[in-house]
Amino acid sequence: MAWRAKWARTWDQVKYCSDACRRRAVRAVDLAPEQAILDLLSNRPGGATICPSEAARAVSDDADEAAWRSLMEPARRAARRLAEAGRIEVTQNGRVVDAATARGPIRLRRR
C-alpha cells in the first residue's frame, strides 16, 4: 500500500487502501498459505529460498494444476504480509525487494 497525502495525519491508523481491500480482509484461505510458507522455510537450511507456488501446492488439496494456480495470488499476498511483519524476505535475482511492488517471479527466504 502506498502512502497517500490525504492519510498524512492518520497514517498509523490506515489498514486498508480502499473499500475493495476492506471487503477482501484476511480469511482462512489467506492464513493457510502463510503457515505453509513458514513450514516450508523451517524445513530448509538457512538462506534457502522457496517459490510462492510451493506454498500454493502445499495448501491445495487437489493435484490438479488449476487448483493450486488459483491459490497463487493468496500465496503472494501471504508473502507480502509476512514480509511486512519482518518474518521473511522477498527476493528477485538474489536481492531483497519490496514485496508490494515486486513484479514477476519472486523467491521467499527466512529473515
Side-chain angles (χ1 to χ4, degrees), residues 21-52:
C21 284
R22 182 176 285 113
R23 285 189 298 272
R24 197 179 51 223
V26 178
R27 300 169 291 159
V29 71
D30 298 317
L31 294 177
E34 278 186 28
Q35 191 58 49
I37 289 169
L38 295 173
D39 290 345
L40 287 167
L41 287 173
S42 70
N43 293 328
R44 303 277 169 100
T49 64
I50 65 165
C51 180

Side-chain angles (χ1 to χ4, degrees), residues 6-26:
K6 68 180 183 177
W7 296 335
R9 286 180 264 173
T10 60
W11 180 247
D12 293 335
Q13 299 168 355
V14 174
K15 287 186 175 182
Y16 303 103
C17 62
S18 65
D19 288 335
C21 284
R22 182 176 285 113
R23 285 189 298 272
R24 197 179 51 223
V26 178

Side-chain angles (χ1 to χ4, degrees), residues 37-98:
I37 289 169
L38 295 173
D39 290 345
L40 287 167
L41 287 173
S42 70
N43 293 328
R44 303 277 169 100
T49 64
I50 65 165
C51 180
S53 66
E54 293 178 58
R57 285 183 179 108
V59 171
S60 176
D61 294 335
D62 196 349
D64 181 30
E65 184 173 338
W68 69 261
R69 285 200 180 272
S70 68
L71 295 171
M72 276 300 297
E73 187 51 37
R76 287 180 68 101
R77 283 195 307 262
R80 286 191 292 269
R81 283 191 306 276
L82 289 169
E84 282 188 28
R87 299 187 71 188
I88 66 167
E89 293 177 329
V90 176
T91 63
Q92 281 184 320
N93 298 321
R95 285 173 280 165
V96 176
V97 295
D98 180 14

